[in-house]
Each structure stands twice: as structure tokens, then as C-alpha cells.
Amino acid sequence: MSDNKSNTPRGNKPIKIRFNISWIYFILLIAIGWMFFNQGGANPQKEEWADVQKQWLAGDIKEVVFIRNEYEGRVTMRPERLEKYADKFAGKVPEKSPHFVFLVSGSFNAEEMFGELNAQLPEDRQVKVVIENHESWWSVLEWLIFPLLLILMWVFMFRGMNRNMGGGGPGGPGGIFNVGKSTGKLAEKGDTQVTFKDVAGLYGAKDEVMEIVDFLKNPKKYTALGGKIPKGALLVGPPGTGKTLLAKAVAGEANVPFFSISGSDFVEMFVGVGASRVRDLFRQAKEKAPCIVFIDEIDAVGRARSKNGGFSSNDERENTLNQLLTEMDGFGTNSGVIILAATNRADILDKALMRAGRFDRQIYVELPDLIGRKEIFEVHMRKLKLADDVDKEFLAKQTPGFSGADIANVCNEAALIAARRNKESIEKQDFLDAIDRIVGGLEKKNKVITDSEKKVIAFHEAGHATTSWLLEFAHPLVKVTIVPRGKALGAAWYLPNERQITTKEQMYHEMIATLGGRAAEQLIFGHISTGALSDLEKVTKQATAMIAYYGLDERIGNRSYYDSTGQQDYALTKPFSEKTAEIIDEQVSKLIESAYQEALRILGENIDGLTQLANKLIDKEVVFGDDLEMIFGKRPWVKEEIDFPKESQQTTDNGQQSESTEENLV
């Protein structure tokens, strides 16, 4: 016995062949195919009896089988004579017999007729004749077996679908073709190579998920004191901040199996598939415990259920959600299975899903700050060949508001740019060009722009630059260009201040700087253009947020009509009266008009500097912060030790604008 054990490789298990209902479908399909393709052997051609007689006398026929009770004759030709009749088979001579069939009347005397024909042939050319009767029951069976097979297959299909997709119990086979089985990807213990070393910049979130790792490694440490291990944690944050990466790092650090599935994978066109997949996923998780189940984009299946069942509801999605709620509640406290989920729409999730006992913790994964961005750059630069002039701190200052995914894209784009320029290493300028490419789009220097349009664009961008430079709370300008990028005809780069809170004066100054482009067009040319579409869109949203959301208007007062739950978007009525709506519209118009008049005043007082800056833009196409300092002098509100970067946040004009790097205003 010991010898046998020693010779058996460790971990090898005997192969068990289990019966699966899919085998029945496979067998039925083969049977139907055989019946379809093998009825009657070959596909014989019909012939008249007169033509068969000519073939008989020509010595071309080898055998004739005559079925007396069906008045049918089946003719097999001599192989060497088949080519003679190739035209009757559309050029393709059949390999199987019979080759021809003929029908006769009831008065046909087969023995006499066939005997007379054979008597006219030499002995070696005579035809073999077989006369027989077909049993009637076999003919009936032959006609019934095909529909019977179809009925059987239909019954088995619907039984499987009903059992395993509609009302099946847990752990079922998964329905026809296993459509009810979970599509989650399983990473076995040790397969996940991601650790906390690969996660940078997420300080608070990393600390919280590290506790989950400790729960999985040392559960007795907490249960000994009577505590319960959390069942689940919900990762909430903007796209690209590293929620999925955090979940993988937890699995890698804990060294446990890791199930990953998307919320949309539960939703299918068949009724009951979502619920069946939820059951199957949790069944597998219990078998692999301790383990982690990660559901990405859980808002696809966990959206809040409608109170009105007949309006904007999806029974299949709600059934899937109900099954998910049941399964998450069904876990014991010491099951060793922890549920992690990620979403960027936590406001629309069902309250039953968010309660303690299902998701005990909500971990907020925010955009990285300055130090976090530096660490993320260090992570993504490990495999890059960098030049000596690459400064991670400088690049971190250039990318306020960038997520981890954005920074990864910057590093990759910089490598592509350096390779395109045939460099042996990635230089600082390659990173700056990559930031420009990502934020503003590709330069289109060959785009045809008339001189008059170029002049309007130059003064528009100069208006933005002038007002932002002369206002205290506006973002300091870094670079202005009139080279078309993407869909934009011109662009201005700013270095936004990373604020945690924003005052009314700061928002007002930003509105003035945004309207500086249109104000410059009005002041210089006496008319305005469509190039300020993005500017108008931004200031309208900003003014509406100031009045209706942040309570920064005297007439509206300290009231906010912002709905943090996200349900206001689906409401048929507004949370304020028509009179209040008129006041909000009136105050928004006043605020925007006040900012516009202030922009006109500032540009009118500094029209010489505005003209000088615009002419320099027309001449050089690109103007930096140093050029503005030479024209307007140093900004009195900026500390002297601050070094102005060359590239950063961008706003564009002609209907397109990059996202704000400040807090979301709407």
C-alpha cells in the first residue's frame, strides 16, 4: 500500500465521469442528423420506365430491386457506366446506390417484364433482379421516428431550462448549455501576483483593505473576543482610481482564491439566468473558502428597485438582485468568504444592499493627491527606460486631478512618443507631450484656418490668459496655444490649485476668466462667435451649482436642492416650486452677466497688454507663463518660490472642454 501511495503523484485524483443532461441533447442531435443524412442511402434520380428499358438493353444496369407493394423499382448502375449519366446528376456522380428509381402501375408484371429484357442480353450482361415486399410497420416507424426525436429533444430542453434557469435549486447543472452557470473568473491560491506594493497613493483605502487581509489570515484573533468578521466591503470612487487593483491586492496578500465577475454578467435575456448564476457563484465560493468574491460595477445589478412595479422596472434584474441579497445574508460569520464590490455610482444602489450585514464597510477610493501621484508615477515607471532629466515630483505637479489610470496612460503614451522619435530613453519632454496629447488631443498643424479666424482665436485665448493672470483666485496660466488640438481650435493650460473647499469669490473669479475669451472678441471685433460654446456651458453649470446647490445666493438663501442619492434624475417633479425655478433662472442670468461685465472691464483696462499678447500668439502660436510675466508683470498673489510648470490642466474652446480638476460642481 505504501508503495502505491509513493508512486502516485501528489494531488492527483481519480477521474470521475459524471452524467450530465447535456449528453442527452448530444445523443439526440446525432440521431436526428443520422436520420436526416442517411434516409434512403443516396439521393436517387427519378426515371421513366421507358428510359430504364433502354439502359437495361444497353447493358448499363447491374441490379434492379423491385418493391412490389410500393410499385417502385430501384436501379443500381454498373460502376464503369456511371460517367455516361453524369449529366443527370448535375456533374456529380453519386457513390452510393440506388442511382435511379422508377414507378409503375398496379398492372405491372415484374417477373415477366424483367425476364424478357434479360433474355435479350448475353449471360455476362444480364441484370440481377430482386423482387420483395416492404413490411408496412417499418414504413410507418420510419416516418414517425424523426418527429419523435424532435419532441424528445424539445421536452428535455425545456425541463433543463425550467429546472436550472427558472426555479432550479442551488448547485444545479446550469441549464441547457450551462447558461445558468457563473461566468466568474477564478484565480486559484497563489495565482494573483498583485500585492500592496503595486498599489500606490491610496492611503486610507489601503489601510482599510489591509484589515480585510488580516481577517482572512487570522480569523481566530477576532472571533476569540466575540467579534464577527465583516462579510463584505464596498469600494466607492471615481473611474480609474484603482478599486479593482485594490481587490486583487487583497487576494494576493491574503494568498486565497479570488473570484472576479462583472455586475453585467448576471444579466441575460433568459428569465432566471441571473439568479442561477448568483447561486452558482456563491456555491463555488463556499467550496473554495476562505476566498474573496469580487463583483465589479455592481451598480449594473444592484440599482435601487422601483417603488412602482409597473413603471421603469425590470423583473429579471430585480430577481437577480433579490437572489444576491439572499445569498449575502446566507453566509455565516465564520464562512471565510468575503465579498468585495466596486462602483462609481454608490448613490443609485439599493438600500437593502448597502445595509450592515451585507456590505459592512464602504471604502472611499479618491483621486490621488500630490504625494499619491508621485508614488503612482514611481510604480508605473519601474519598467521604463528613463533619462536623467525625468523628475517625478515635477510630473506629479503637472497632473492635478489625474487618476491612477490616467497616470498609467501618461507613462505609456510617453514611451510611445519616445519610441516614435527613435530615442533610447524617455525624456522629460516626452512626458509633457504625452500630457498634452491626452488632455488636449493630437496637434493638427495642417488644419486650414484663415487669417481672420486665426486672429479671432488668438484674441479669444489671449482674453482667457489676461483675465486669469490679473484675477487673484483664478487658476494661474501656464501655456496658451492657437495650434488646433483634437476638436479644439485653441487651448489654454492652467495649473489648478488643489482645494478641499471653494469660496464664492474663487468660483466667481473662475467664471470671469472663463468668459474672458468671449469678452475679448466683443471688445476687439465688436461681435461674438460660436467658439465660446464650452465656456458658456461651464459657467452656466457653475452658476447653477452656486445658487441651487451650494446656497451661495442671497435671494435663494441657505438652501440646497442637490440630491446626493441620485434619485432626483428619475423624478417627474422638481424639488422646488415654479416661482423658485424662475428666481433661480433669474439669479443665474444675473451672476453670469455680472461676471461677463467684469471680464469686459478688466480687458478694457488692459487692452494694450491684451493686444500685445494676441499678436505674440499669432506670431509664435505658443505663449508660456514667462511671456505673460513680461507683459503684465508678476502676479502679486503668487509666492516667488513657486516655479511655473510648462504643461498642465487644459481648457479648450470651440465646443469642447477638458474635465475640471476641482471638485464636481454639478
Side-chain angles (χ1 to χ4, degrees):
M1 294 291 290
S2 60
D3 293 340
N4 293 336
K5 289 182 180 181
S6 61
N7 294 332
T8 305
R10 188 177 180 182
N12 286 4
K13 297 181 179 179
I15 300 174
K16 296 181 180 179
I17 301 175
R18 297 182 179 179
F19 176 78
N20 195 311
I21 197 169
S22 300
W23 293 3
I24 297 177
Y25 308 140
F26 184 69
I27 294 170
L28 289 175
L29 284 172
I30 292 177
I32 293 172
W34 181 85
M35 290 290 299
F36 183 80
F37 291 106
N38 291 276
Q39 288 185 0
N43 190 17
Q45 299 293 316
K46 290 185 178 181
E47 283 276 48
E48 296 294 332
W49 169 238
D51 295 329
V52 175
Q53 292 183 69
K54 294 177 182 178
Q55 297 169 359
W56 195 308
L57 296 175
D60 299 336
I61 300 177
K62 179 182 179 181
E63 183 182 24
V64 172
V65 178
F66 185 74
I67 303 168
R68 194 189 303 274
N69 59 337
E70 295 180 4
Y71 309 106
E72 180 186 89
R74 299 175 182 178
V75 180
T76 301
M77 308 298 290
R78 297 184 184 275
E80 65 271 13
R81 300 295 181 96
L82 276 175
E83 295 292 338
K84 183 178 176 181
Y85 304 95
D87 56 330
K88 294 191 176 186
F89 300 100
K92 187 178 181 180
V93 179
E95 297 179 358
K96 296 181 180 179
S97 61
H99 303 120
F100 296 101
V101 294
F102 63 92
L103 298 175
V104 295
S105 65
S107 61
F108 185 82
N109 191 338
E111 291 87 345
E112 182 180 351
M113 186 61 68
F114 296 160
E116 291 178 359
L117 291 172
N118 268 337
Q120 302 178 43
L121 296 174
E123 189 174 348
D124 60 336
R125 284 295 181 185
Q126 289 184 355
V127 178
K128 181 181 178 182
V129 177
V130 179
I131 300 176
E132 60 185 23
N133 289 322
H134 272 185
E135 298 291 339
S136 59
W137 65 269
W138 177 252
S139 301
V140 173
L141 183 62
E142 201 174 31
W143 282 101
L144 288 178
I145 192 169
F146 185 75
L148 283 174
L149 287 174
L150 286 177
I151 293 171
L152 283 173
M153 186 174 180
W154 187 266
V155 169
F156 277 108
M157 284 176 61
F158 274 88
R159 283 185 62 188
M161 291 172 67
N162 183 57
R163 183 187 304 113
N164 300 298
M165 291 189 289
I176 183 171
F177 306 127
N178 290 327
V179 72
K181 275 194 169 293
S182 170
T183 57
K185 298 179 181 178
L186 171 62
E188 290 286 356
K189 182 178 180 181
D191 291 348
T192 306
Q193 303 299 324
V194 181
T195 63
F196 286 134
K197 294 181 180 179
D198 303 308
V199 181
L202 307 177
Y203 308 110
K206 191 190 294 186
D207 292 339
E208 290 198 61
V209 295
M210 286 177 72
E211 291 186 7
I212 296 175
V213 175
D214 199 32
F215 292 152
L216 291 170
K217 285 186 175 181
N218 307 303
K220 294 182 180 180
K221 175 182 175 183
Y222 302 91
T223 57
L225 300 176
K228 297 180 180 178
I229 298 175
K231 292 183 180 180
L234 182 65
L235 303 174
V236 182
T241 50
K243 299 183 293 294
T244 306
L245 185 66
L246 265 176
K248 291 182 179 179
V250 172
E253 289 286 344
N255 197 24
V256 296
F258 180 74
F259 290 90
S260 62
I261 192 171
S262 174
S264 60
D265 290 339
F266 293 115
V267 183
E268 276 284 357
M269 63 179 289
F270 300 113
V271 176
V273 170
S276 178
R277 288 179 175 176
V278 171
R279 286 192 295 270
D280 190 63
L281 174 65
F282 280 79
R283 177 186 61 81
Q284 294 181 43
K286 291 176 182 179
E287 293 175 354
K288 295 287 186 178
C291 67
I292 293 174
V293 176
F294 176 63
I295 306 174
D296 202 5
E297 306 297 343
I298 196 173
D299 52 276
V301 69
R303 188 183 293 266
R305 290 163 289 185
S306 176
K307 294 180 181 179
N308 186 358
F311 179 76
S312 184
S313 66
N314 186 331
D315 291 337
E316 171 61 12
R317 184 183 59 78
E318 290 190 3
N319 290 339
T320 306
L321 175 59
N322 292 336
Q323 186 64 43
L324 180 62
L325 297 175
T326 304
E327 293 289 344
M328 291 186 69
D329 240 2
F331 274 137
T333 56
N334 301 323
S335 62
V337 179
I338 290 182
I339 312 299
L340 295 181
T343 180
N344 51 17
R345 298 290 309 278
D347 54 319
I348 66 172
L349 292 180
D350 196 278
K351 292 182 179 179
L353 188 64
M354 302 285 288
R355 75 160 174 82
R358 292 194 174 103
F359 287 117
D360 301 283
R361 296 186 175 187
Q362 291 189 33
I363 302 173
Y364 293 93
V365 185
E366 301 176 337
L367 291 171
D369 56 10
L370 182 64
I371 301 175
R373 291 196 299 273
K374 179 188 174 184
E375 294 178 358
I376 295 172
F377 267 111
E378 291 175 349
V379 169
H380 292 292
M381 287 181 176
R382 290 174 184 171
K383 298 181 180 179
L384 301 181
K385 295 181 179 179
L386 304 176
D388 296 334
D389 62 344
V390 176
D391 186 1
K392 300 179 182 66
E393 294 184 0
F394 173 78
L395 293 175
K397 294 178 181 178
Q398 300 303 301
T399 51
F402 277 47
S403 65
D406 295 330
I407 294 175
N409 193 20
V410 168
C411 294
N412 184 65
E413 192 66 34
L416 297 178
I417 292 172
R420 198 178 299 121
R421 295 171 179 173
N422 299 320
K423 296 182 178 179
E424 295 183 357
S425 59
I426 309 170
E427 300 175 355
K428 174 182 176 181
Q429 189 60 43
D430 298 323
F431 282 98
L432 299 180
D433 293 340
I435 296 172
D436 288 353
R437 172 78 179 271
I438 292 170
V439 177
L442 183 64
E443 285 188 352
K444 298 180 179 179
K445 295 184 178 181
N446 298 326
K447 194 168 186 176
V448 179
I449 300 176
T450 63
D451 292 339
S452 59
E453 290 176 334
K454 190 174 182 180
K455 188 175 181 180
V456 172
I457 297 170
F459 273 96
H460 185 107
E461 299 300 334
H464 284 308
T466 302
T467 50
S468 65
W469 191 267
L470 298 174
L471 290 170
E472 179 180 359
F473 299 114
H475 297 311
L477 185 118
V478 175
K479 184 179 78 172
V480 184
T481 179
I482 59 174
V483 178
R485 279 184 174 271
K487 296 182 179 181
L489 299 176
W493 277 259
Y494 300 91
L495 188 62
N497 298 316
E498 297 186 63
R499 306 166 181 154
Q500 300 301 320
I501 58 173
T502 306
T503 65
K504 181 180 180 180
E505 290 76 16
Q506 290 171 342
M507 298 180 73
Y508 186 63
H509 281 194
E510 290 172 14
M511 291 176 61
I512 297 172
T514 305
L515 292 170
R518 167 158 286 195
E521 293 182 32
Q522 178 70 43
L523 187 66
I524 300 299
F525 304 104
H527 58 77
I528 53 180
S529 68
T530 60
L533 174 60
S534 64
D535 300 333
L536 298 178
E537 181 186 2
K538 179 181 178 182
V539 296
T540 303
K541 290 181 178 180
Q542 203 163 9
T544 304
M546 290 174 65
I547 296 168
Y549 297 160
Y550 295 138
L552 300 178
D553 183 72
E554 295 180 355
R555 289 191 63 185
I556 297 297
N558 298 320
R559 300 167 69 182
S560 175
Y561 299 104
Y562 179 72
D563 184 14
S564 61
T565 64
Q567 301 301 314
Q568 185 174 312
D569 298 336
Y570 306 98
L572 298 178
T573 58
K574 296 292 184 183
F576 43 77
S577 65
E578 289 297 326
K579 185 178 179 180
T580 304
E582 292 177 1
I583 296 174
I584 292 174
D585 286 341
E586 183 182 345
Q587 294 303 103
V588 167
S589 298
K590 285 184 179 180
L591 184 60
I592 295 175
E593 186 60 27
S594 172
Y596 185 68
Q597 294 299 325
E598 184 66 17
L600 286 173
R601 184 190 67 79
I602 294 173
L603 294 176
E605 294 176 355
N606 298 273
I607 192 168
D608 293 336
L610 172 68
T611 306
Q612 187 179 348
L613 179 60
N615 291 331
K616 186 170 286 190
L617 267 173
I618 295 172
D619 184 36
K620 294 184 176 181
E621 293 188 338
V622 180
V623 173
F624 294 93
D626 296 338
D627 298 306
L628 272 78
E629 187 175 326
M630 293 176 60
I631 297 173
F632 300 104
K634 286 188 177 182
R635 299 185 76 202
W637 309 285
V638 179
K639 297 180 180 180
E640 294 185 358
E641 63 267 16
I642 294 180
D643 184 22
F644 289 97
K646 298 295 183 183
E647 320 286 341
S648 189
Q649 175 68 20
Q650 166 177 301
T651 58
T652 59
D653 304 297
N654 96 324
Q656 296 292 326
Q657 178 171 337
S658 59
E659 293 185 0
S660 172
T661 57
E662 281 194 73
E663 55 193 351
N664 190 10
L665 300 178
V666 289

